[in-house]
Amino acid sequence: MNTSAHPNIPSSMVSVGGGESRKSKATGNVKMSAKDVKVFYGNTQAINGIDIDIYENEVLAFIGPSGCGKSTFLRCLNRMNDTIDICRVEGKIVLDDQDIYAPDRDVVLLRAQVGIVFQKPNPFPKSIYENIAYGPRLHGLAKRKAELDDVVESSLRRAGLWEEVKDRLDQPGTGLSGGQQQRLCIARTIAVSPDIILMDEPCSALDPIATGKVEQLIDELSESYTIVMVTHNMQQAARVADRTAFFHMGDLVEVDSTDTIFTNPQNQRTHDYITGRFG
Amino acid sequence: MTNLALIATLLMIMALAYHMGLTRSRAVAAEHDVRMHSRPGYYGALVALWCGLPALALFLLWSFLAPQLIEMLVTHQLPADMVAGMSDRELVTFLRRVTALANERSVSGGGTSEELAAAAHMARLQTFENLSLVALMAVFAVTGLVVARRNISPQWRARNQVERVITIALAASSGVAIFTTVGIVLSMLGETLKFFTFISPAEFFLGTTWNPRFSTSGTDAQGEFGLLPLLWGTMMVSAIALLVAIPVGLMTAIYMAEYAPPWLRNVAKPIIEILAGIPTIVYGFFALIVIGPFLSNVGDLIGINIRTTSALTAGLVMGIMIIPFVSSLSDDIITQVPKSLRDGALGLGATKSETIRQVVLPAALPGIVGAFLLAASRAIGETMIVVLAAGNNPVLHANPFEAVSTITVTIVNQLTGDMDFASPQSLVAFALGLTLFVITLGLNVIALIVVRKYRQQYE
């Protein structure tokens, strides 16, 4: 993974460092695929029929103006929209050739396989250890205490948080700083060994330094996980994503390699958005 | 002029003053062609306050002082040897009779000639007092109005002054509740100390027998005033009530907050809260007529002797009564747990009930404990249900199927009927009341601290 290729955050969108090395990755197998997905809130249609393939081990970013449906679509991918009473999803989303909206599909197992990290860090009001151990306990992933300790340690290590918290695992997770809390939430998601990690604007509540750390983490995680992230920040998409999808008013306008989207978009709406004409 | 008419008139004058202040401020603004410091309404309100407040203060002070002054004048006017021949107590009785006669109420025996003469004198003084009050108030009101109206100028900071008066009025209103509480505690404390001159605190707080006897049998026949049987009865009934109310209330809250569809929630929540509005006396005879006999029959069936009026009967019904306290407070607290926490657990693949049990309830726990403590203090202070359904049997025993008595029931017993407020039999009610107050106050304070701690967690 070539993180040193763009050590300084580029201020202009055109200078996308490291884009070349990333693009080559986006040719793996299809991990997840959406066909004509429509979402309704009551009688209002929020998503107008989206088709998209998500490849294994890629970082796919969703960009677009507020209210364009990118978060709504993201939440369809692990059925988090089920928790909203008035929300209805139509169409087909397939994960490893199996429909995730099939009636006999177990949503509990689906969410273990497709984890999610939210916009605002939401650690449980429990200790750091318990925050990480919660998922593995839930799914019975660790038989003994020692195994659980291992899972907690390796998850925190992968989230780059171990060195900062290893001496205070028994202290409340809510006592960490915002950036640490978000990495704790990422570690919590990793602990159940998902295939795909969804991230809903994971850095929008963080300061630039914490954002840098989380972005670096996303880069490292894409070695072993497929990552789909929503972001408001186009530079962030340029920095971390292999491919970028532009959403507008419930439509998926264009999806292509991040380089192409930012340097040579095919659609006029995409062009207007990334050059700052609206949004 | 009666006081009511006086106040009504004053209010009308204040309305007039408001209007005058309003028009005057507009006129001033137009005359000098400047912008006034405040909106016209504030000048109107301020003129009304200047007009009304001094007059009102005079009225309050006058109503407090004038009767005493008149009594003093009447006493002065009495023959000196007559006053000297009376004890203080006789003088007070005499003045009371005179006052009644002066206000054209009849007194027993029709009044002696001295009394009638004094009454006539008093009536004259009262007429004079009343007229001078009206006159003085009129002077105050008109002066205030004129001065304030003349004061109206673009520089007069009417808005700030009105705001200050509002602040003072609000602070005074909150003071009423606080001073009343302090007053209640002090009056109970005084009577309690009087009680402890008869019975030692150790005997009261540690005594295991409650048998006060009757005050009419004289102070030599002093009974035993042990608090413990009553405290025990209170605790037993409250514990049974909480055993009913906490599980049912908490589960109701969880269902209402997490599972119930909106339409059901909208219908069911008000119905549950109606339970809190039923007068407790109604619960009392529901316990006495329905629950008591029912429990007694059930006891017969399974071979246990359950009294119709027992700790169990009272506790069960009281538990039903406090369900809404537990459920609606817990419901509010559960709903306050941020959605992001639920999403976090659901996103990891927790089921709904796992999320509630492992994440939502632990997060809401301090607040829920606060709700429990408030319900407990409510149960401990509850009176009518236990008066009717607990059986009034102040004996120390551990059988919930037997009758018990509680602190509240005993207070009712000691303060009803023919009583003498100098006897320990009546005074003990104050000691009991103070004990009860301290217990419930303690629970409330703990509950508030716990709830506050919870609030801080998500701010």
Side-chain angles (χ1 to χ4, degrees):
Chain A
M1 191 48 44
N2 189 3
T3 48
S4 58
H6 42 100
N8 299 314
I9 295 170
S11 53
S12 96
M13 281 162 275
V14 196
S15 58
V16 182
E20 290 306 312
S21 63
R22 309 212 46 133
K23 208 168 91 180
S24 57
K25 241 178 68 185
T27 50
N29 308 319
V30 172
K31 182 72 184 170
M32 211 171 186
S33 143
K35 293 264 172 340
D36 195 28
V37 172
K38 294 177 182 149
V39 181
F40 301 84
Y41 290 112
N43 293 322
T44 321
Q45 187 162 5
I47 303 274
N48 315 318
I50 283 182
D51 297 280
I52 193 170
D53 286 334
I54 298 164
Y55 299 108
E56 208 161 348
N57 288 30
E58 74 166 337
V59 179
L60 172 62
F62 292 171
I63 60 169
S66 297
C68 67
K70 53 193 189 308
S71 287
T72 300
F73 181 68
L74 185 83
R75 290 167 64 97
C76 291
L77 298 179
N78 74 342
R79 293 182 55 177
M80 278 308 283
N81 282 336
D82 290 12
T83 62
I84 300 167
D85 285 337
I86 56 165
C87 184
R88 196 171 85 247
V89 179
E90 284 177 8
K92 197 170 180 187
I93 299 175
V94 171
L95 169 66
D96 292 333
D97 299 326
Q98 286 182 316
D99 185 358
I100 65 168
Y101 279 91
D104 60 342
R105 183 76 195 210
D106 187 349
V107 71
V108 166
L109 296 178
L110 170 70
R111 287 181 188 151
Q113 208 180 346
V114 185
I116 186 163
V117 175
F118 297 92
Q119 184 170 356
K120 224 180 113 202
N122 57 347
F124 301 131
K126 301 173 190 274
S127 70
I128 293 172
Y129 184 94
E130 288 299 322
N131 260 283
I132 308 293
Y134 183 72
R137 282 220 181 97
L138 209 55
H139 299 286
L141 297 183
K143 304 272 177 300
R144 288 187 310 277
K145 174 88 169 80
E147 261 179 82
L148 196 59
D149 289 349
D150 286 346
V151 172
V152 170
E153 180 174 343
S154 68
S155 306
L156 284 170
R157 275 190 194 284
R158 293 184 118 171
L161 198 59
W162 176 253
E163 292 303 324
E164 292 162 56
V165 301
K166 64 179 176 189
D167 299 325
R168 45 175 174 149
L169 290 176
D170 55 341
Q171 283 173 29
T174 42
L176 297 172
S177 75
Q180 289 174 323
Q181 287 190 11
Q182 193 62 304
R183 280 181 284 146
L184 181 68
C185 292
I186 293 174
R188 185 174 74 184
T189 308
I190 298 171
V192 293
S193 339
D195 295 343
I196 302 177
I197 303 175
L198 309 176
M199 298 190 180
D200 190 353
E201 298 183 32
C203 301
S204 66
L206 306 183
D207 64 61
I209 293 172
T211 301
K213 284 191 180 162
V214 172
E215 284 180 7
Q216 193 188 341
L217 174 61
I218 292 171
D219 219 24
E220 288 161 17
L221 291 176
S222 66
E223 297 271 6
S224 17
Y225 305 98
T226 306
I227 295 174
V228 184
M229 68 182 293
V230 165
T231 176
H232 251 111
N233 180 333
M234 283 186 275
Q235 282 94 334
Q236 184 171 63
R239 283 192 298 268
V240 300
D242 299 306
R243 290 197 306 148
T244 298
F246 172 61
F247 284 71
H248 188 223
M249 303 194 53
D251 292 319
L252 172 60
V253 177
E254 189 172 353
V255 54
D256 211 324
S257 79
T258 301
D259 257 5
T260 315
I261 290 284
F262 283 103
T263 55
N264 187 24
Q266 304 301 305
N267 188 293
Q268 184 60 38
R269 278 201 277 175
T270 318
H271 182 262
D272 288 350
Y273 182 69
I274 63 156
T275 54
R277 211 152 297 162
F278 70 91
Chain B
M1 218 177 198
T2 67
N3 290 342
L4 198 66
L6 205 57
I7 296 297
T9 317
L10 186 63
L11 285 177
M12 278 189 281
I13 297 176
M14 282 174 76
L16 188 69
Y18 175 83
H19 185 71
M20 286 170 74
L22 196 80
T23 43
R24 174 75 188 148
S25 77
R26 286 200 178 123
V28 169
E31 195 181 317
H32 302 284
D33 194 25
V34 287
R35 214 183 127 79
M36 304 292 281
H37 173 271
S38 314
R39 305 271 305 134
Y42 284 107
Y43 289 101
L46 196 56
V47 172
L49 288 172
W50 272 72
C51 163
L53 285 186
L56 207 62
L58 172 78
F59 173 77
L60 289 178
L61 203 66
W62 191 281
S63 326
F64 187 66
L65 292 180
Q68 294 178 24
L69 192 71
I70 289 178
E71 279 189 5
M72 223 168 77
L73 288 175
V74 171
T75 319
H76 244 294
Q77 202 249 351
L78 290 174
D81 57 327
M82 184 182 157
V83 179
M86 282 196 288
S87 68
D88 283 353
R89 203 165 179 165
E90 280 169 333
L91 186 63
V92 169
T93 320
F94 176 79
L95 284 174
R96 200 176 288 158
R97 284 170 67 90
V98 171
T99 312
L101 284 169
N103 291 308
E104 290 167 352
R105 291 194 299 267
S106 57
V107 294
S108 58
T112 60
S113 59
E114 293 96 347
E115 281 173 350
L116 286 173
H121 181 59
M122 185 181 258
R124 276 196 305 281
L125 282 173
Q126 277 177 345
T127 317
F128 175 70
E129 172 255 351
N130 207 319
L131 286 177
S132 44
L133 173 63
V134 172
L136 265 177
M137 276 177 76
V139 170
F140 272 50
V142 171
T143 317
L145 197 162
V146 170
V147 169
R149 186 172 175 278
R150 191 171 300 159
N151 269 348
I152 292 177
S153 73
Q155 290 81 37
W156 207 29
R157 296 151 71 87
R159 171 167 25 87
N160 308 28
Q161 295 197 25
V162 172
E163 289 295 322
R164 194 172 320 142
V165 172
I166 290 174
T167 312
I168 293 170
L170 294 178
S173 310
S174 12
V176 170
I178 292 167
F179 287 119
T180 313
T181 313
V182 173
I184 290 173
V185 172
L186 286 183
S187 74
M188 283 206 298
L189 200 63
E191 303 293 320
T192 304
L193 290 178
K194 226 185 272 175
F195 170 71
F196 283 140
T197 60
F198 292 99
I199 309 290
S200 79
E203 219 175 303
F204 175 66
F205 288 113
L206 302 174
T208 53
T209 315
W210 178 264
N211 184 17
R213 314 253 177 96
F214 296 103
S215 59
T216 42
S217 45
T219 39
D220 53 320
Q222 256 177 26
E224 288 166 283
F225 295 89
L227 171 71
L228 288 180
L230 308 177
L231 194 62
W232 173 249
T234 303
M235 292 303 155
M236 189 146 80
V237 175
S238 305
I240 295 170
L242 291 176
L243 279 179
V244 174
I246 287 180
V248 177
L250 189 57
M251 284 192 267
T252 308
I254 293 172
Y255 180 72
M256 285 297 157
E258 302 280 341
Y259 290 94
W263 67 266
L264 182 63
R265 189 182 153 90
N266 291 344
V267 174
K269 267 202 88 170
I271 294 179
I272 294 170
E273 272 153 25
I274 282 175
L275 277 182
I278 297 176
T280 54
I281 184 84
V282 176
Y283 277 110
F285 57 72
F286 173 66
L288 192 63
I289 291 170
V290 182
I291 301 291
F294 171 75
L295 286 177
S296 180
N297 286 340
V298 170
D300 286 346
L301 275 180
I302 55 177
I304 306 174
N305 187 19
I306 302 180
R307 292 274 300 267
T308 317
T309 54
S310 67
L312 186 65
T313 313
L316 269 184
V317 175
M318 198 196 285
I320 294 167
M321 183 197 81
I322 57 179
I323 284 173
F325 287 86
V326 177
S327 76
S328 82
L329 279 171
S330 310
D331 185 342
D332 290 346
I333 288 155
I334 290 172
T335 328
Q336 267 180 34
V337 172
K339 185 170 186 312
S340 66
L341 277 187
R342 282 166 239 257
D343 281 351
L346 292 169
L348 284 170
T351 64
K352 196 164 186 174
S353 74
E354 282 167 341
T355 305
I356 293 165
R357 246 182 318 123
Q358 296 160 355
V359 175
V360 177
L361 285 186
L365 193 64
I368 292 175
V369 170
F372 290 170
L373 290 176
L374 285 180
S377 74
R378 179 73 214 244
I380 289 170
E382 170 49 37
T383 309
M384 279 334 289
I385 294 176
V386 273
V387 164
L388 288 177
N392 190 22
N393 176 28
V395 176
L396 207 51
H397 64 73
N399 183 357
F401 306 128
E402 274 291 325
V404 292
S405 185
T406 69
I407 296 179
T408 49
V409 171
T410 311
I411 292 176
V412 172
N413 288 342
Q414 296 310 113
L415 288 186
T416 43
D418 204 6
M419 35 173 207
D420 169 10
F421 269 105
S423 72
Q425 280 80 2
S426 297
L427 288 173
V428 71
F430 294 95
L432 290 170
L434 198 63
T435 311
L436 201 60
F437 178 80
V438 169
I439 295 173
T440 50
L441 182 75
L443 279 176
N444 275 312
V445 167
I446 296 171
L448 283 178
I449 291 172
V450 168
V451 169
R452 187 170 305 163
K453 205 173 154 201
Y454 163 78
R455 290 248 166 82
Q456 279 165 354
Q457 212 175 335
Y458 294 112
E459 270 165 10

